[in-house]
Amino acid sequence: MTVPHERSDDPQPVVEHPRVFVSYAHDSEDHKAQVVRFCHFLQQMGMDVRFDRWTESTRQDWSRWAAGEIAAADFVIVIASAAYRRRAEDIDSSDGRGVRWEAAILRELVTADRNAWFPKLLPVVLPGGRLTDIPLFLQPHSASRYVVTDLTVPGTEALLRTLTRQPRHVVPPIGPIVSLPAHRPDGTVAANPIKPERAITRYPGSVKLDVCRRLGDSWRELADVLEIPHHEWRRFPSGWEAAGVWEWLEMRDALGALRGALLRIDRPDLAHLLDGEDNDDTHDATPEARR
């Protein structure tokens, strides 16, 4: 198992340049050089990497520096190595006080607030590393981990998608409930009382105006539910984002998904505005289209 791409009904906001702290053991010279190359690669991929080798030009209180960087990070990457696991688990207490300090902070944070910190702690196995080198508190066999095959986008894709919150698979909008016939005891078929959702392609301009005015800041939740890509909704004009969402659906003949999406973000007041009897696929906002 590498990283399962699980469904999430609570989309996370995109971080433009995720702040990433890298925790690793000063193991062999080869290992340290590999970590340097890995950090350079992440920086080139748009991450704001916090790495001790890049702050050595000034005198540091390393314990305070590490604690501050961990607290401020969007993600903490733990580089798996035999030395890291030994020191994190106090199997080897002869050296590596920095790793023992950082691992103690990470254990404390994930214990105090697991929901907040578990998703932020990312165990990474670099090429040549082993899963068994992941510290036990990071659950090497029962939780997600990131195996890097090489320092390319394909070789680090799972990790990059997590850091940038760009899932490989998106959850499609929930469609209308399927309408199935009911069977009477005498074998005849009764009409189903569930009225299937109508395929709406247009609404009157007054309905669009009312919905967009009242949607307010809920437009972002609506965009997430409708799976509008972030790079697209960032282009919506400031102050007119709700209209941007509407027109994004309109351009794709997908306005039929709007009512269900409004209900999913707990805006039945706006969904009700779409329920007018004249709102069908032959109705247009212009008088000419109604003649």
Side-chain angles (χ1 to χ4, degrees):
M1 180 182 78
T2 52
V3 181
H5 297 284
E6 297 179 351
R7 169 176 175 156
S8 173
D9 288 325
D10 184 18
Q12 297 296 309
V14 169
V15 179
E16 290 291 340
H17 296 287
R19 184 166 174 165
V20 181
F21 176 72
V22 177
S23 179
Y24 71 107
H26 287 205
D27 206 323
S28 67
E29 291 302 317
D30 286 344
H31 179 70
K32 287 191 287 185
Q34 187 182 38
V35 174
V36 170
R37 292 193 296 272
F38 174 68
C39 290
H40 273 275
F41 173 78
L42 288 184
Q43 192 85 356
Q44 292 170 349
M45 294 297 104
M47 313 307 143
D48 178 7
V49 178
R50 303 308 173 103
F51 178 44
D52 62 354
R53 300 289 290 274
W54 294 344
T55 60
E56 292 176 340
S57 60
T58 58
R59 186 168 185 256
Q60 294 284 352
D61 177 342
W62 290 110
S63 297
R64 182 175 181 179
W65 175 84
E69 290 294 342
I70 290 171
D74 296 306
F75 296 96
V76 175
I77 286 178
V78 173
I79 304 293
S81 69
Y84 196 104
R85 180 166 185 174
R86 287 197 311 270
R87 295 166 187 175
E89 296 176 1
D90 280 332
I91 297 172
D92 177 7
S93 58
S94 61
D95 198 4
R97 286 172 292 180
V99 166
R100 294 204 303 275
W101 169 252
E102 291 170 16
I105 293 174
L106 298 179
R107 284 196 303 268
E108 178 67 18
L109 290 171
V110 80
T111 300
D113 191 347
R114 182 176 177 81
N115 288 340
W117 279 93
F118 180 81
K120 296 171 67 170
L121 305 187
L122 310 181
V124 169
V125 181
L126 294 179
R130 301 175 301 177
L131 292 179
T132 53
D133 291 335
I134 297 174
L136 193 60
F137 78 93
L138 292 177
Q139 300 173 237
H141 298 290
S142 62
S144 301
R145 67 271 184 163
Y146 301 82
V147 178
V148 172
T149 56
D150 54 59
L151 296 183
T152 63
V153 171
T156 58
E157 182 177 354
L159 176 62
L160 293 177
R161 286 187 178 279
T162 296
L163 291 173
T164 59
R165 297 185 175 123
Q166 298 182 71
R168 178 189 292 273
H169 305 290
V170 295
V171 182
I174 298 175
I177 294 176
V178 61
S179 180
L180 301 172
H183 294 267
R184 296 190 182 97
D186 61 5
T188 59
V189 177
N192 194 302
I194 297 177
K195 182 181 179 181
E197 189 170 321
R198 290 173 293 168
I200 301 295
T201 57
R202 289 186 295 275
Y203 285 100
S206 58
V207 172
K208 174 182 177 180
L209 187 61
D210 283 347
V211 171
C212 292
R213 280 178 174 173
R214 300 185 195 184
L215 184 61
D217 292 338
S218 298
W219 73 265
R220 191 184 295 269
E221 292 178 74
L222 184 62
D224 285 334
V225 168
L226 291 167
E227 304 291 349
I228 299 178
H230 294 280
H231 69 273
E232 294 194 26
W233 62 246
R234 287 197 198 99
R235 294 200 291 262
F236 294 163
S238 178
W240 296 89
E241 293 89 353
V245 173
W246 183 290
E247 288 160 11
W248 187 90
L249 290 172
E250 203 166 38
M251 289 173 60
R252 292 160 178 77
D253 290 329
L255 279 174
L258 181 58
R259 186 180 185 280
L262 288 169
L263 292 174
R264 288 188 66 190
I265 66 168
D266 197 26
R267 293 302 302 268
D269 58 317
L270 300 185
H272 178 69
L273 295 176
L274 306 178
D275 290 337
E277 289 303 317
D278 292 335
N279 298 340
D280 57 31
D281 60 356
T282 63
H283 196 94
D284 201 306
T286 62
E288 290 80 3
R290 292 198 296 269
R291 289 173 183 163

